[in-house]
Amino acid sequence: EQLFVGDQVLRIMASNEEQIALLRALGEQTELQVDFWRHPASPGHPSDLRVPFPSLQAVKTLLESNGISYSIMIQDLQKLLDEEKKAMAKSRRTER
Amino acid sequence: STSTFDFASYHTIDEIYDWMDTLVADHPGLVSKLQIGQSYENRSLYVLKLSTGGSNRSAIWLDTGIHSREWITQATGAWTANKIAEEYGQDPSVTAILDNMDIFLEIIANPDGFAYTHSSNRMWRKTRSINAGSHCIGVDPNRNWEAGFGGAGASRSPCSETYHGPYANSEPEVRAIVDFVTNHGNIKAFISIHSYSQLLLYPYGYTNTPVPDHEELHEIAERAVTALSSLYGTSYEYGSIYTTIYQASGTTVDWTYDQGIKYSFTFELRDTGRYGFLLPASQIIPTAQETWLALKVIMQYTLDHPY
């Protein structure tokens, strides 16, 4: 089972086409293993990027050095996944 | 009985497939289950047919879960199938639609990916086909259709989440729908349901050229979104795929529109990014309820405006 401990989802707001292109290029860098949950569309539209824990520093540095603003949408993905799994198990145990 | 199925919870493929049989058993004169093909890993591709009879009636198609990790969509699909079955004979609009048209609903359009999200990788989006010459698995089934296939807005890299695949319809999950739609020949509305970001979109995605029916589709989308928002105030944007989000080639509804299915739409359900694909189960029913209002607008319009 793939675990996502420490992975974050970043909400990124590109302000121009150049930054959009940069984000798209970021998505193509296979070694970073990032995953766009919401792809970069146009300036002013948010995009959401899941970043594996080992790539976090590199991605954040790249965003900051290019003046691309972002916030952390999901702090630790695995925590949410664990909650979801727990809710499913609980639901299955409940007699209906 | 369907009354023991918890629509407010997420379920595995086996649970959903078992429930489909109980839905059929509970509504024997209305609901039937068709197998339209098999997935890459040989799972059955099932479609629920809701029909009051007649041969080759015009029809409405709904599918959910073509991107497997978008769990809110499969959950909404199950709720919707049950809702349609229960409302026939009760709700005048649903009754009129089903008295004249059939509804086909594919709840798990990407079963291999869905099973994989439960067993190995909750974030899996694509199919599970092996790509020759690459260690990366899967094709994006919403880039694999014969509509601007391989153009901008799809990736040629098998490692990308938007990999278009080696050729159009390479994925059996896509091919099965293509064959079904083509053989049926009388599908008048096609609605493909995704999540997230709260959008109602219509063709095209592969080009910024507006479709000939742009104005009509825009007006239907506006009405549908107004109905959807009336329940909980959920905010939706609407427009063509290209102008509202981004260029995307080889998408489902671009192909269906080009096949002559005028009322082709694609949804992006809740949310706008607080949880993304991990939308809590407590939001399944509100999401399905509001989506239902929009679906009814599109279905009713399809009935009232034959072509």
Side-chain angles (χ1 to χ4, degrees):
Chain A
E1 183 178 346
Q2 184 162 339
L3 298 176
F4 296 85
V5 179
D7 286 17
Q8 293 186 347
V9 181
L10 306 180
R11 163 64 52 100
I12 302 169
M13 196 67 85
S15 56
N16 55 46
E17 288 294 345
E18 198 181 321
Q19 292 185 347
I20 296 282
L22 201 73
L23 289 177
R24 287 187 180 137
L26 177 69
E28 294 292 317
Q29 289 184 42
T30 49
E31 68 278 9
L32 292 174
Q33 295 193 304
V34 295
D35 168 22
F36 273 109
W37 280 17
R38 201 172 170 185
H39 287 77
S42 52
H45 273 76
S47 55
D48 299 332
L49 182 68
R50 180 181 65 79
V51 186
F53 180 71
S55 303
L56 267 177
Q57 199 181 350
V59 170
K60 287 181 178 177
T61 302
L62 188 143
L63 294 175
E64 286 160 14
S65 63
N66 286 282
I68 304 175
S69 66
Y70 70 91
S71 59
I72 298 171
M73 189 174 113
I74 295 176
Q75 184 75 37
D76 184 341
L77 187 58
Q78 191 59 45
K79 275 191 184 165
L80 270 185
L81 291 168
D82 292 343
E83 281 172 27
E84 185 179 70
K85 199 174 265 188
K86 210 185 294 176
M88 282 183 73
K90 189 178 168 201
S91 166
R92 238 175 245 125
R93 281 198 304 271
T94 308
E95 197 175 336
R96 281 179 276 279
Chain B
S1 146
T2 48
S3 62
T4 61
F5 187 82
D6 183 8
F7 291 100
S9 178
Y10 290 116
H11 294 277
T12 63
I13 185 169
D14 292 336
E15 289 167 348
I16 293 174
Y17 276 5
D18 285 348
W19 165 78
M20 283 164 64
D21 289 334
T22 62
L23 184 74
V24 172
D26 285 354
H27 303 275
L30 181 66
V31 187
S32 55
K33 189 178 82 174
L34 315 175
Q35 185 177 348
I36 63 164
Q38 284 189 300
S39 68
Y40 182 82
E41 293 176 341
N42 291 322
R43 290 183 177 84
S44 298
L45 297 167
Y46 289 129
V47 171
L48 289 174
K49 179 180 181 182
L50 294 106
S51 175
T52 56
S55 61
N56 197 31
R57 284 184 171 182
S58 57
I60 295 166
W61 169 279
L62 306 167
D63 67 78
T64 51
I66 203 163
H67 285 151
S68 46
R69 65 188 177 185
E70 298 167 5
W71 278 13
I72 185 62
T73 69
Q74 297 95 342
T76 295
W79 185 95
T80 303
N82 188 60
K83 183 73 173 171
I84 297 169
E86 285 191 340
E87 293 293 330
Y88 178 69
Q90 307 289 324
D91 179 309
S93 170
V94 173
T95 305
I97 293 164
L98 280 174
D99 279 342
N100 293 282
M101 305 180 79
D102 296 339
I103 299 175
F104 294 101
L105 209 167
E106 186 178 13
I107 294 174
I108 303 178
N110 177 4
D112 297 346
F114 191 56
Y116 200 68
T117 63
H118 282 275
S119 66
S120 304
N121 181 346
R122 173 66 181 83
M123 290 303 123
W124 194 257
R125 160 190 169 104
K126 300 191 282 184
T127 62
R128 290 293 300 162
S129 54
I130 290 169
N131 293 305
S134 172
H135 65 281
C136 292
I137 300 282
V139 166
D140 182 345
N142 198 29
R143 299 290 185 280
N144 190 235
W145 302 70
E146 183 88 69
F149 177 81
S155 175
R156 66 179 64 180
S157 164
C159 295
S160 167
E161 294 287 6
T162 54
Y163 175 48
H164 50 57
Y167 53 90
N169 305 333
S170 62
E171 303 312 284
E173 297 82 0
V174 171
R175 180 86 234 177
I177 302 174
V178 167
D179 289 345
F180 181 82
V181 168
T182 308
N183 291 334
H184 187 283
N186 203 10
I187 290 176
K188 298 297 183 187
F190 191 109
I191 305 165
S192 189
I193 301 180
H194 291 246
S195 75
Y196 60 96
S197 61
Q198 295 172 196
L199 304 166
L200 177 53
L201 306 168
Y202 50 81
Y204 285 124
Y206 70 86
T207 171
N208 62 358
T209 305
V211 293
D213 302 298
H214 169 86
E215 283 179 18
E216 186 178 7
L217 296 183
H218 197 78
E219 193 187 316
I220 300 167
E222 183 176 21
R223 285 194 213 172
V225 163
T226 302
L228 184 155
S229 302
S230 69
L231 190 60
Y232 297 112
T234 307
S235 164
Y236 262 59
E237 288 180 43
Y238 55 93
S240 80
I241 298 169
Y242 190 104
T243 58
T244 310
I245 41 173
Y246 44 66
Q247 187 172 13
S249 60
T251 65
T252 312
V253 294
D254 279 2
W255 179 80
T256 58
Y257 184 84
D258 281 347
Q259 293 304 300
I261 303 175
K262 180 164 66 163
Y263 305 128
S264 289
F265 291 94
T266 182
F267 276 90
E268 296 280 356
L269 305 185
R270 288 189 190 186
D271 58 12
T272 53
R274 185 179 174 88
Y275 296 101
F277 304 118
L278 300 172
L279 195 68
S282 59
Q283 290 199 40
I284 293 173
I285 291 181
T287 303
Q289 285 173 327
E290 67 187 10
T291 306
W292 170 242
L293 298 181
L295 290 175
K296 275 216 303 184
V297 168
I298 299 171
M299 293 195 295
Q300 182 71 50
Y301 188 94
T302 305
L303 176 67
D304 294 341
H305 298 82
Y307 61 94

